[in-house]
């Protein structure tokens, strides 16, 4: 009975606060009128743009990530671990800051220029997925196959295409599918860089709700987005059992860079420069204009930090509860249901969650929409699956013999967790909670649907400043972006940098 309660409580929590809002989209999205909307050229064009730009962005992100994976994981040089951690920054920066960074390169407001910048921004954000996924798998290969190919006279490029790439085929597929899942649900980048001319499914949902007040068409597009995400994650589950995780990467024996790596090194340096430019451009423009930290309105930032603190506490309690239950309990259908329930939200965008909350909690027995707590609750649901995944994997990596020895010495479950498991996994827990804090501060999708009155978050403040004309608003947006960049680096420095960043466990 105790085991059932331990599993049932978090299942009820996720069912009420995640699956019930999503079911509201399904209920409102299924109608003849709604599906007739999908036959319109405008809707078909939106879906097509979402799919093809995501596919092209994925292709480029995988290519860039492969170069970084080779240099940062397959070769050895000074500062390697630090650069691995630095590569995490674009993936966790608030997306609104990245959108502003790339919009600063917009010389002419044309559709082709905007498309190029949107794709570049997606590569900037998501190339680290391939780097971490492929790099970790590449480390586990050893050097025997490549050494044998070299003895047969194969060069580096031919060895990669003939030996390495086929061996890592499922890893490439998993990285590509995961990158596509994140790119196809892009919201902030398309909204700001697209300027309202280019629309993805996510930005169209936003427009249907707040511009045209058409919830029916918004929910129909939300249903399409859910179907695309579900198919993508089904592909991921079929091609690989890998998943993103945070923690130390097991460093095996790798060779140092030599002259045969010069083309890849030069390409990596060029890509690294391209990676630095967007952030450098924001900081340079912020300081060249009226960089006034004291003239900013810090109310929205304080709201975001307050929400972030609540999210961290909620994720610490519930995340450790769920992850420990999954890591230590015997496998049953109930535990499998719990694991699946807490991992599926990884593929659902914040826009869909915000829309679901708008539909489900505006009235009725649980009118969360009228409370400021709705924003940190939604952000907790966005961060919690990642926290569960990180902590669960860290707990499962503990030697079972150590726990058995503690049990033989009379240690209860709580004592074992408090004095053995928690200290051993504290590094991963810190990283998980650090990422939860960053997710909460940087959330833009859910906040755009749920924020009201004086509860404006820093992401919404940035969007308001950037979308309104005037040099003063533009300067404030850049200054605030610089503050968020510094805050993100600070959080990563406290949590992630002592380890080597993201990793993929098989």
């Amino acid at each position: 009975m105790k085991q059932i309660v331990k599993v049932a409580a978090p299942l009820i929590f996720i069912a009420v606060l995640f699956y019930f809002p999503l079911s509201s989209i399904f209920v409102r999205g299924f109608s003849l009128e709604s599906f007739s909307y999908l036959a319109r050229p405008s809707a078909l064009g939106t879906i097509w743009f979402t799919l093809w730009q995501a596919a092209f962005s994925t292709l480029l992100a995988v290519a860039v990530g492969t170069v970084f994976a080779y240099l940062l994981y397959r070769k050895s040089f000074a500062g390697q671990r630090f650069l691995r951690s630095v590569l995490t920054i674009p993936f966790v920066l608030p997306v609104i800051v990245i959108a502003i960074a790339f919009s600063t390169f917009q010389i002419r407001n044309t559709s082709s220029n905007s498309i190029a910048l949107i794709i570049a921004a997606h590569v900037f954000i998501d190339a680290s997925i391939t780097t971490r996924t492929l790099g970790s798998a590449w480390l586990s290969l050893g050097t025997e196959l490549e050494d044998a190919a070299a003895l047969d006279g194969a060069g580096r490029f031919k060895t990669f295409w003939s030996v390495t790439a086929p061996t890592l085929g499922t890893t490439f597929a998993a990285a590509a599918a995961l990158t596509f899942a994140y790119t196809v649900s892009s919201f902030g980048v398309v909204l700001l860089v697209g300027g309202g001319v280019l629309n993805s499914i996510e930005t169209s949902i936003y427009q249907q709700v707040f511009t045209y007040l058409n919830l029916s068409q918004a929910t129909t597009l939300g249903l399409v987005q859910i179907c695309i995400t579900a198919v993508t994650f089904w592909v991921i589950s079929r091609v690989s059992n890998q998943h993103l995780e945070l923690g130390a990467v097991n460093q095996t024996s790798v060779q140092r860079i030599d002259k045969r790596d010069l083309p890849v090194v030069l390409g990596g340096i060029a890509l690294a420069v391209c990676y630095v430019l967007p952030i450098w451009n924001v900081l340079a423009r912020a300081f060249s204009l009226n960089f006034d930290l004291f003239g900013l309105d810090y109310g929205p930032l304080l709201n975001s930090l307050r929400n972030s603190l609540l999210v961290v506490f909620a994720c610490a309690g519930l995340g450790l509860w769920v992850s420990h239950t999954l890591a230590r309990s015997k496998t049953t259908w109930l535990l499998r249901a719990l694991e699946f329930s807490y991992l599926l939200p990884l593929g659902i965008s914040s826009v869909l969650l915000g829309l679901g909350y708008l539909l489900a909690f505006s009235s009725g027995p649980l009118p969360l929409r009228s409370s400021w707590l709705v924003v940190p609750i939604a952000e907790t649901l966005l961060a919690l699956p990642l926290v569960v995944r990180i902590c669960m994997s860290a707990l499962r990596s503990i030697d079972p013999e150590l726990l058995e020895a503690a049990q033989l010495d009379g240690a209860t479950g709580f004592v074992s967790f408090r004095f053995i498991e928690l200290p051993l996994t504290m590094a991963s827990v810190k990283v998980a909670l650090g990422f939860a804090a960053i997710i909460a501060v940087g959330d833009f999708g859910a906040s755009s649907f749920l924020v009201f009155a004086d509860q404006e978050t820093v992401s919404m403040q940035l969007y308001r400043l950037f979308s309104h004309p005037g040099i003063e608003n533009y300067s404030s947006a850049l200054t605030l972006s610089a503050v968020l960049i510094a805050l993100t680096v600070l959080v990563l420095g406290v949590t992630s940098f002592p380890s080597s960043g993201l990793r993929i466990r098989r």
Side-chain angles (χ1 to χ4, degrees):
M1 184 63 183
K2 182 179 179 182
Q3 178 68 24
I4 294 177
V5 172
K6 190 176 181 181
V7 175
L11 272 176
I12 293 172
F13 176 86
I14 196 81
V16 172
L17 294 178
F18 181 79
Y19 290 97
F20 174 62
L22 282 192
S23 68
S24 301
I25 298 178
F26 275 95
V27 171
R28 294 289 293 268
F30 275 109
S31 69
L32 292 176
E33 179 186 353
S34 297
F35 282 105
S36 66
Y37 164 70
L38 293 178
R40 298 180 187 177
S42 58
L44 292 174
T46 296
I47 295 171
W48 170 241
F49 172 72
T50 303
L51 292 174
W52 81 256
Q53 65 81 21
F56 191 63
S57 299
T58 298
L59 182 65
L60 293 180
V62 169
V64 172
T66 301
V67 174
F68 285 146
Y70 179 79
L71 293 175
L72 297 179
Y73 289 84
R74 198 58 177 170
K75 292 295 173 178
S76 175
F77 57 90
Q80 187 178 50
R81 291 180 179 272
F82 173 75
L83 290 178
R84 287 180 189 171
S85 297
V86 168
L87 195 62
T88 307
I89 293 176
F91 188 70
V92 299
L93 265 179
V95 69
I96 191 74
V97 173
I98 295 174
I100 289 174
F102 277 86
S103 64
T104 60
F105 293 105
Q106 199 156 23
I107 302 173
R108 293 179 300 170
N109 192 17
T110 62
S111 119
S112 59
N113 189 32
S114 296
I115 289 174
L117 289 175
I118 288 172
I119 292 173
H122 289 160
V123 174
F124 177 80
I125 297 170
D126 295 320
S128 60
I129 295 176
T130 298
T131 303
R132 305 295 179 175
T133 310
L134 185 62
S136 181
W138 215 335
L139 270 177
S140 66
L141 282 185
T143 61
E144 292 80 7
L145 291 175
E146 294 180 356
D147 291 341
L151 289 174
D152 289 338
R156 291 289 169 85
F157 187 75
K158 186 176 180 180
T159 299
F160 173 78
W161 279 110
S162 302
V163 178
T164 307
T167 305
L168 297 173
T170 57
T171 305
F172 275 107
L178 191 58
T179 302
F180 182 83
Y182 281 116
T183 309
V184 82
S185 60
S186 175
F187 174 59
V189 169
V190 180
L191 184 66
L192 266 74
V193 181
V197 178
L198 297 170
N199 282 306
S200 64
I201 294 175
E202 302 268 314
T203 59
S204 292
I205 292 172
Y206 180 82
Q207 284 188 348
Q208 291 295 337
V209 172
F210 293 105
T211 302
Y212 305 115
L213 304 178
N214 195 328
L215 283 175
S216 176
Q217 294 181 3
T219 52
T220 302
L221 289 171
L223 190 57
V224 172
Q225 181 75 335
I226 290 173
C227 291
I228 293 172
T229 302
V231 171
T232 304
F233 272 79
W234 176 82
V235 171
I236 293 174
S237 67
R238 297 293 294 179
V239 300
S240 177
N241 63 348
Q242 296 173 320
H243 55 267
L244 273 172
E245 186 188 318
L246 293 165
V249 175
N250 296 325
Q251 182 71 52
T252 58
S253 177
V254 292
Q255 299 174 346
R256 296 191 66 83
I257 289 178
D258 56 45
K259 61 181 180 181
R260 291 178 298 172
D261 298 314
L262 184 59
V264 183
V265 171
L266 293 177
I269 292 174
L271 291 173
V273 171
C274 293
Y275 253 65
V276 171
L277 279 178
I279 304 302
W280 171 259
N281 206 26
V282 168
L283 298 177
R285 291 196 179 204
F287 282 99
S288 65
L289 296 174
N290 183 24
F291 186 78
D292 183 12
L293 288 175
F294 300 101
L296 293 174
D297 176 12
Y298 285 105
L301 180 58
L302 293 177
N303 288 337
S304 292
L305 292 176
R306 176 204 62 198
N307 294 344
S308 176
L309 188 62
L310 292 175
V311 169
V312 167
F313 277 115
C315 286
L318 192 57
L320 284 172
W321 180 1
V322 174
S323 58
H324 190 269
T325 301
L326 292 172
R328 296 290 170 254
S329 301
K330 295 180 180 180
T331 302
T332 65
W333 68 270
L334 200 58
L335 285 174
R336 286 195 293 269
L338 180 63
E339 183 173 9
F340 178 79
S341 298
Y342 272 82
L343 296 184
L344 184 60
L346 282 172
I348 300 299
S349 71
S350 58
V351 167
L352 289 179
L353 189 62
L355 176 61
Y357 270 51
L358 190 66
L359 295 172
F361 299 134
S362 292
S363 59
L366 200 60
L368 291 175
R369 180 69 179 82
S370 60
S371 170
W372 65 269
L373 285 170
V374 69
V375 175
I377 289 173
E379 291 170 347
T380 298
L381 268 296
L382 293 171
L384 195 55
L386 184 62
V387 174
V388 169
R389 173 58 73 185
I390 296 168
C391 296
M392 180 179 65
S393 297
L395 287 168
R396 284 177 173 172
S397 67
I398 297 176
D399 188 353
E401 293 182 359
L402 183 62
L403 302 177
E404 292 172 2
Q407 189 176 11
L408 289 174
D409 289 338
T412 62
F414 177 77
V415 171
S416 176
F417 174 77
R418 171 66 181 83
F419 293 101
I420 299 176
E421 295 175 276
L422 189 58
L424 289 175
T425 59
M426 183 53 69
S428 294
V429 172
K430 284 172 55 182
V431 169
L433 297 182
F435 271 67
I438 294 172
I439 289 172
V441 171
D443 171 57
F444 179 52
S447 298
S448 63
F449 283 82
L450 303 175
V451 164
F452 61 91
D454 61 345
Q455 298 303 313
E456 183 181 46
T457 61
V458 67
S459 292
M460 293 304 298
Q461 180 189 21
L462 266 176
Y463 177 62
R464 173 174 54 80
L465 289 171
F466 193 77
S467 58
H468 284 71
I471 189 65
E472 185 176 345
N473 288 332
Y474 183 68
S475 175
S476 296
L478 291 175
T479 303
L480 195 56
S481 296
V483 171
L484 287 180
I485 291 171
L487 185 63
T488 301
V489 172
L490 177 63
V491 172
L492 285 177
V494 172
T495 58
S496 303
F497 280 9
S499 65
S500 56
L502 285 162
R503 74 164 168 172
I504 305 298
R505 285 179 64 91
R506 296 181 70 88

